[in-house]
Amino acid sequence: MSKHIPNLQVALDHSDLQGAIKAAVSVGNDVDVIEAGTVCLLQVGSELVEVLRSLFPDKIIVADTKCADAGGTVAKNNALCGADWMTCICCATIPTMEAALKAIKEVRGNRGEIQIELYGDWTFEQAQLWLDAGISQAIYHQSRDALLAGETWGQKDLTKVAKLIEMGFRVSVTGGLDVDTLKLFKGLDVFTFIAGRGITEAENPALAARAFKDEIKRIWG
């Protein structure tokens, strides 16, 4: 039996502030974590985080910066706008990650965390260095480009997720998830399921989020 019922996180994968905020309002009360998506952050900066924090003062807000450099500055700027968590790309240096972690904790206290985005080539030896640096959240992806190329979740992915959990990470998973794919992860102590368009582009986003939550509770409850 899993020790934890996975969270549900909505990714605001929008190109414009108005679209992201509209989506957030439609589902924010039905999810556990709200993510300021990378593309929108690149368009409008941390203003998106600031608006999300004002709308949802008690929710966990993630700034999906995929930060590769200047970790302390980027983390501080987003934390001051209200981000609890921020993402660093796995190819960032350990000092960048450590600086980001220090900065976000200085602003957000124990609520502040850094998540490592696992894209491309990375090793479990590197992952141990992240743990040693005090970072215990990782996000395992099936990237949008990989999904468009026809790749799907398979045993190799599930094995890597299981290994990361065994090492001590709280692992979030994302990439083409829908309600039907959740059962693939049964038996794994997944920390958070992250869905974007599968929720925000549904005819009724709130209903779609509740369907995710109901299936998560059915499998892990």
Side-chain angles (χ1 to χ4, degrees), residues 4-26:
H4 163 82
I5 296 178
N7 300 308
L8 177 63
Q9 175 174 323
V10 64
L12 303 175
D13 294 326
H14 298 74
S15 297
D16 64 296
L17 181 63
Q18 185 177 4
I21 296 305
K22 181 180 178 181
V25 169
S26 70

Side-chain angles (χ1 to χ4, degrees), residues 140-143 147 150-158 161 172-178 181 184-185:
Y140 190 94
H141 282 262
Q142 277 282 29
S143 75
L147 290 164
E151 294 184 26
T152 57
W153 288 95
Q155 190 56 50
K156 65 176 184 178
D157 301 302
L158 301 177
V161 169
S172 300
V173 296
T174 186
L177 295 177
D178 58 33
T181 57
L184 295 174
F185 300 90

Side-chain angles (χ1 to χ4, degrees), residues 155-168:
Q155 190 56 50
K156 65 176 184 178
D157 301 302
L158 301 177
T159 299
K160 289 180 180 178
V161 169
K163 171 68 172 174
L164 288 165
I165 294 170
E166 183 183 325
M167 289 178 70

Side-chain angles (χ1 to χ4, degrees), residues 14-171:
H14 298 74
S15 297
D16 64 296
L17 181 63
Q18 185 177 4
I21 296 305
K22 181 180 178 181
V25 169
S26 70
V27 303
N29 292 322
D30 294 290
V31 300
D32 304 298
V33 183
I34 302 172
E35 173 194 321
T38 310
V39 173
C40 198
L41 285 175
L42 289 170
Q43 290 290 103
V44 304
S46 300
E47 180 184 358
L48 173 57
V49 175
E50 197 168 20
V51 175
L52 291 173
R53 176 53 68 204
S54 67
L55 290 170
F56 300 99
D58 300 321
K59 292 284 182 180
I60 295 171
I61 305 292
V62 182
D64 188 16
T65 60
K66 296 181 173 66
C67 183
D69 197 11
T73 302
V74 177
K76 181 178 179 180
N77 290 346
N78 280 280
L80 288 171
C81 287
D84 301 302
W85 300 346
M86 189 187 83
T87 63
C88 285
I89 196 73
C90 58
C91 61
T93 65
I94 296 296
T96 291
M97 296 176 182
E98 289 176 332
L101 181 63
K102 181 175 183 287
I104 204 164
K105 284 191 173 297
E106 283 178 352
V107 178
R108 304 299 292 174
N110 289 333
R111 192 176 170 111
E113 295 200 48
I114 294 300
Q115 300 173 297
I116 305 301
E117 295 257 10
L118 304 178
Y119 274 113
D121 295 325
W122 56 274
T123 67
F124 289 109
E125 288 76 18
Q126 287 174 297
Q128 186 59 54
L129 295 177
W130 307 330
L131 283 172
D132 294 343
I135 297 169
S136 60
Q137 283 206 57
I139 302 173
Y140 190 94
H141 282 262
Q142 277 282 29
S143 75
R144 186 187 311 178
D145 293 335
L147 290 164
L148 289 173
E151 294 184 26
T152 57
W153 288 95
Q155 190 56 50
K156 65 176 184 178
D157 301 302
L158 301 177
T159 299
K160 289 180 180 178
V161 169
K163 171 68 172 174
L164 288 165
I165 294 170
E166 183 183 325
M167 289 178 70
F169 283 100
R170 287 164 293 152
V171 182

